[in-house]
Structure formats: C-alpha cells, structure tokens
Amino acid sequence: MNAPKKAIPELDYLFIKNKEKVHYQKSVAELVENAIINNEGSLSDTGALAADTGRFTGRAPHDRFIVQDGLTEKAVWWGAINQPISEASFECLFEQVASYFNDKDIFVRDALAGADPNHTIGIRAITETSYQNIFVNNLFIRPACPDPMARPEWSILAAPGFSCEHPEQFGLHNPNFVIINFTRKVILVAGTGYTGEIKKGIFSVLNFILPLQKKVLSMHCSANTDEHGHAALFFGLSGTGKTTLSADKDRFLVGDDEHGWDANGIFNFEGGCYAKCIGLDESKEPEIFQAIRFGALIENINFFSGTCIPNYEDTTKTENTRVAYPIHHITGSVASGRAQAPKNVFFLTADAFGVIPPVSLLSVTQAMYHFISGYTAKVAGTEVGIKEPKAVFSACFGEAFLPLHPSHYAELLRERLAGSDINVWLINTGWIAGPYGIGRRIKLGYTRAIIKAALDGALKESSYSVHPVFGLHYPTTCPDVPDAVLNPVRLWADENAYYAQANQLAKLFIENFKKFEDMVNKDVLAASPVVVALETGTMV
C-alpha cells in the first residue's frame, strides 16, 4: 500500500507557480537518495552525505545586500558590511529567481529559528538542491507538525544555479548575490551553493528584529551549562578555540554558534551545528567526529584515494571544510535549546602579539569595550622569517552579520550585566613569552584549567594585578597553572620589548575604535587601553 501523498504548500505568494515538481518536507533519507541519484554527493564511510558547494566554498560578503526602505533606512548600520539595494531592484530579482524555479524540481522545508517560543520565527526554505534542504533540516529547529497550508513568517529562496545576467543594472557587483528584505521578510541566495549563506542570512535577520523589537541580545557565541543550570557563553573568532573550549564532557552543549539572551535566560537560535572539519581528529574533538554519521552533511572534503573515508587534512578544495548535523548528534546536548542566564562569559582571543594576559576579569564597561572591539590576531604566514602578527577586529565577534550599529548590542550587554554577579573573562588562547615567531602558544591544558577555575569560582578568589597599558585585572594565581604564565610580562626576555609591543597593540585598538566613538558612551571609551612611556611607565 502506497504512503499517503503529502500536501503541497501554496507558493504563489513567492511568485512560484510550479506545483508538480515541489517536494515538501522530504525525509533526510529521501533527500540523501535524491542527492546521490542527481550526483550532488556520495556517502562517507560513516553514512554522512559528502557534497560539494561548487564555486563558492565560503561566504561572499562583498555580494550581500539589505533592501533600503522605510523600515531599514535609519535603522541599519550602512557601509561595507550592510550594502543597500533598492526595493525596485529587489522586486525584479525576486521575480527572476522565482521564475527560475518554475521549471525545476524544488525542495521546500518549513523550519523554525529561536528555541524560546516567545522569540521563535517560522522559516520556509525553497532550495534547488537536496543537499541544501538537508542543511536546512540540520541547522534550524525541526517543527513537530509543519503545516503546508500555513505561511511561515520568513522565506528563503536558495538558487545556486541562478546567475544574474546584468548585475550592474541592479546595483550588484557580481552575478551571485544574497539579499535580505526585512519588510518583505524574504532572503534571496542566488548564484552560490555555499549553505553558510542560508544560515547567516537568518542570523542577520535575528540580529535585526530581536534587539530592536524585543530587547533581546543576539549573540555570535557557543553556550554550555552544567547539572546545576550554571550556563557559560564563549565568544571568539575563528582560531580562538570557541568550539574546542565549549565542548566539555562534564557540561551540556546548549548550542555551538548563535544565541539570544533575554531577561529569562539564554536560548539557541538553531537546531544544529555547522562545525569546521579542517584537521578534525577524533582524539581531540570526539564529539564532532562522532556526530558525522547518517543525516550529517559534509561539505567540500576529499576522500582518501580509493576509499569513502574523509581526509580532513586535505585542503585542496578549501580550508573551510564543514559538517552540518542536528544538535542531537552531540551526546548530552540540551534538547530544549534553553538555559538560565550565564554565570560566566568568556571572550576568547588568540593574541599573536603575546601581550594580552592569559586571563583577565573585566568590568562592565571593559566588557562592552572588548565586546565592540572583537579582537583576535592572525599570524602573517607560515614561511620562514615571517614573524609579524596581524590584528583582526570584528565587532561583537560577528561584525559581518550585524545589521545594527555595534553599540546597540553592547548596550543590551550592559543591561544584562548591570547589577548581576555575572563574571566576564578575557581569555588569551594565543601567544605568551613573546610574539608569534619568538614566544609560544599557551598550552591548551593551561587554558582548560583557567576555564575550569573560572567556572567553579576558584579564580574569582585570587589576588589580582592591573595591566598598565590595557587596564586589565589579571589573577596572580590559578590552580594547575604556573604563576609566571599568568603575568604576561614575566616570561618575556626584555621587559621594554614587551611594553613596546603592548603599546603597538594598544594603538591598533584605539585606531579601530575611532569608528565607534560617536555612538558609545564616555564610560565605554574610558575602558580603552593607553600608551605608556617606556622609561617612566606613565601614560603618553
């Protein structure tokens, strides 16, 4: 006996009139089968679908736009991150993408974003490929009983095969584009098969509507909790250890990337994880390794020759190899996606200048300053003789996804921290005893010990010293960490060389923050580092 045929959603409101080739809410097994039949991918040895995303193996931020209209004109932080596009251009492109779908098999999936029912938004994703639909299933929250006759609040049209013939006529730079229309509540993702554009499109939406409409702090961070409900947040840019440090066998994962924080606590925006695969090692990250099984989607990896075993060291296609899986693939994850307000907040930075202490306890205004700064550093290269680090600043640790000025998010952070006993820590997972090329990277074991001491309260009981350049309060002792490691200057061979380097980094902070000065309060500006005279130790 044949299974009953699923109802087909009405898509006329999206200009899509194709009903015969609409595949609604297909199971993952059906989507995997279809992907293999259509040469979108193949199965790995553990049953995960391995697919290539085509020309784009990462986001194309230069091709991301927001429709400028009455809702967004005065609210959006316009610039290189949030580029404006006209309503007329959007409408033309909207109809073109919809028309492109009309003679193709398309995959429609209804999902949710936001684990707190008070802040949930409905999403309908229309994708050209099966693997994109698997991604939507894995990354967003899966509704128990989706209603094909309902119209979810937001729609995503993802058409990797579409190419705009005359992009300059619409104010585009290239034939590919991502456009968010906050009034229409539609996201167009065209000309790129990179699934991260879908994920970050919805994140950008939540970063606009939740702070403005509901006073919810939207955050680019991971979160975990313990059996007592004591939650922790981990902010950090790529390479700082956010995923590694938040994956703790003694704690429970709330989410690995995007969260909201309101008066009642924190909640995951997503229903899955999108982890990097480069260098993935089962002994170092067993939770992620074991999550790569049937239902997971691996992107842009190569197999070992003659096998279906992924080679996670191979970067031939890209260094941005990824895996998307539902969060329940992680043992011990929090099924509700919610937790109490955090007891501890960690800002992670991989400081290649060797200046920032391994751990510092921040005041509220220092937390706001470093939140807006979003600092880490990258090494200039791996060639012999290249030793100069490069400072990287990304506001709120996620500047590329912020439709609003960073001060909006920082002020919401102030509201959450004010009058609370929440601790905010700045953690340097980068270099000590000198800059990159001279010093060494702090041992992961020391960083784990610092995190543990912060979480169990032992670190708060330490005595503290104040950094003369950055004004940071850093502990002088921590269980299982040598005292000398905690003082950033003690391991340097030359104290003057250390302060010269600290001054150099301080100047980079000050220069970066100039673009925010007009929109932040004076008490936040007062948390800025200062340049000191090397001979006298006084401020310049």
Side-chain angles (χ1 to χ4, degrees):
M1 185 174 179
N2 293 329
K5 192 174 182 180
K6 292 180 181 176
I8 301 299
E10 179 61 63
L11 301 176
D12 282 358
Y13 69 102
L14 298 174
F15 304 125
I16 298 173
K17 305 185 186 303
N18 172 7
K19 292 185 178 180
E20 291 73 23
K21 296 184 177 182
V22 170
H23 304 279
Y24 178 70
Q25 220 72 10
K26 290 288 187 182
S27 70
V28 171
E30 290 173 312
L31 291 168
V32 168
E33 180 182 26
N34 195 74
I36 293 172
I37 290 171
N38 290 301
N39 296 315
E40 293 178 20
S42 59
L43 292 181
S44 75
D45 63 322
T46 61
L49 178 69
D52 287 352
T53 62
R55 174 190 169 197
F56 291 96
T57 57
R59 290 184 311 102
H62 188 56
D63 297 309
R64 173 186 175 275
F65 299 84
I66 293 175
V67 175
Q68 188 172 45
D69 57 18
L71 179 62
T72 61
E73 185 173 9
K74 294 183 179 179
V76 167
W77 182 37
W78 300 109
I81 298 295
N82 300 306
Q83 302 174 93
I85 192 170
S86 71
E87 293 175 83
S89 290
F90 172 82
E91 292 299 331
C92 289
L93 292 167
F94 187 5
E95 291 192 32
Q96 287 184 25
V97 172
S99 178
Y100 172 81
F101 277 143
N102 276 324
D103 63 349
K104 290 179 170 56
D105 283 281
I106 57 175
F107 301 87
V108 180
R109 181 162 298 277
D110 290 342
L112 305 170
D116 186 327
N118 294 314
H119 308 304
T120 300
I121 64 168
I123 303 165
R124 174 163 287 167
I126 295 90
T127 68
E128 182 179 355
T129 64
S130 299
Y131 82 83
Q132 290 173 304
N133 217 256
I134 294 172
F135 178 86
V136 172
N137 175 78
N138 290 356
L139 259 291
F140 298 117
I141 297 168
R142 294 156 289 280
C145 299
D147 180 2
M149 296 301 105
R151 289 188 183 183
E153 186 177 0
W154 277 83
S155 301
I156 305 168
L157 279 66
F162 178 85
S163 180
C164 182
E165 290 185 2
H166 303 288
E168 67 284 348
Q169 292 182 2
F170 302 100
L172 303 174
H173 307 304
N174 293 296
N176 60 286
F177 54 85
V178 175
I179 305 176
I180 304 173
N181 189 323
F182 285 102
T183 299
R184 277 281 211 165
K185 298 185 177 180
V186 170
I187 303 172
L188 303 179
V189 179
T192 172
Y194 180 64
T195 55
E197 298 283 19
I198 298 172
K199 166 186 165 70
K200 291 308 183 184
I202 290 296
F203 186 40
S204 298
V205 166
L206 295 172
N207 281 334
F208 183 80
I209 63 177
L210 290 183
L212 276 186
Q213 299 174 9
K214 298 191 175 183
K215 301 298 181 185
V216 174
L217 173 58
S218 54
M219 306 174 294
H220 189 206
C221 67
S222 58
N224 63 25
T225 189
D226 63 14
E227 67 272 17
H228 305 294
H230 297 158
L233 302 179
F234 297 81
F235 293 82
L237 303 178
S238 179
T240 60
K242 177 167 65 92
T243 301
T244 300
L245 293 172
S246 62
D248 187 329
K249 63 181 178 59
D250 297 322
R251 294 174 68 82
F252 309 104
L253 183 69
V254 180
D256 81 329
D257 197 47
E258 301 171 6
H259 294 82
W261 184 359
D262 68 4
N264 298 316
I266 62 172
F267 60 97
N268 193 356
F269 286 168
E270 302 179 306
C273 304
Y274 193 41
K276 286 189 174 181
C277 289
I278 184 171
L280 183 62
D281 186 317
E282 185 174 15
S283 65
K284 295 178 181 177
E285 294 180 290
E287 296 85 2
I288 295 174
F289 194 92
Q290 292 161 17
I292 305 177
R293 55 184 189 265
F294 184 80
L297 171 69
I298 325 172
E299 294 181 345
N300 302 314
I301 59 95
N302 283 312
F303 295 125
F304 285 104
S305 181
T307 78
C308 54
I309 301 171
N311 181 356
Y312 296 120
E313 300 293 337
D314 189 334
T315 60
T316 304
K317 294 176 184 175
T318 178
E319 291 190 1
N320 190 36
T321 50
R322 294 273 184 169
V323 59
Y325 48 84
I327 196 166
H328 59 256
H329 278 205
I330 297 292
T331 303
S333 58
V334 179
S336 69
R338 287 176 278 171
Q340 298 175 14
K343 295 289 185 182
N344 292 277
V345 177
F346 299 98
F347 295 163
L348 308 176
T349 178
D351 175 33
F353 288 78
V355 167
I356 303 295
V359 56
S360 306
L361 181 61
L362 305 181
S363 68
V364 171
T365 51
Q366 283 179 323
M368 293 173 69
Y369 182 89
H370 285 276
F371 184 58
I372 292 174
S373 295
Y375 164 71
T376 191
K378 294 182 178 179
V379 295
T382 56
E383 296 86 356
V384 174
I386 296 181
K387 300 178 181 180
E388 291 299 317
K390 179 182 179 181
V392 176
F393 297 95
S394 181
C396 307
F397 300 95
E399 185 172 318
F401 323 115
L402 304 183
L404 307 176
H405 190 279
S407 62
H408 284 273
Y409 309 97
E411 285 300 326
L412 285 170
L413 178 63
R414 185 203 294 267
E415 289 182 22
R416 297 287 168 258
L417 297 178
S420 75
D421 60 355
I422 300 168
N423 302 311
V424 182
W425 308 91
L426 180 64
I427 306 289
N428 176 18
T429 62
W431 275 255
I432 58 174
Y436 169 78
I438 298 175
R440 61 183 184 274
R441 193 153 192 180
I442 188 170
K443 292 180 179 178
L444 178 58
Y446 291 160
T447 302
R448 289 195 187 280
I450 288 168
I451 298 291
K452 181 179 183 299
L455 291 172
D456 64 24
L459 199 57
K460 192 77 179 286
E461 303 304 315
S462 175
S463 59
Y464 282 75
S465 295
V466 180
H467 194 282
V469 176
F470 282 85
L472 299 170
H473 290 70
Y474 59 91
T476 57
T477 60
C478 176
D480 300 317
V481 181
D483 293 351
V485 169
L486 299 171
N487 185 334
V489 70
R490 278 183 64 180
L491 296 180
W492 277 59
D494 184 337
E495 182 173 326
N496 277 337
Y498 171 83
Y499 283 110
Q501 186 85 329
N503 280 344
Q504 180 185 351
L505 183 57
K507 290 175 183 177
L508 295 175
F509 265 84
I510 293 166
E511 182 62 30
N512 172 71
F513 214 83
K514 286 180 179 178
K515 60 179 176 283
F516 307 121
E517 288 179 351
D518 293 342
M519 293 286 287
V520 300
N521 289 333
K522 292 182 179 179
D523 61 347
V524 178
L525 291 175
S528 170
V530 296
V531 177
V532 300
L534 296 182
E535 296 300 322
T536 63
T538 58
M539 299 180 190
V540 176

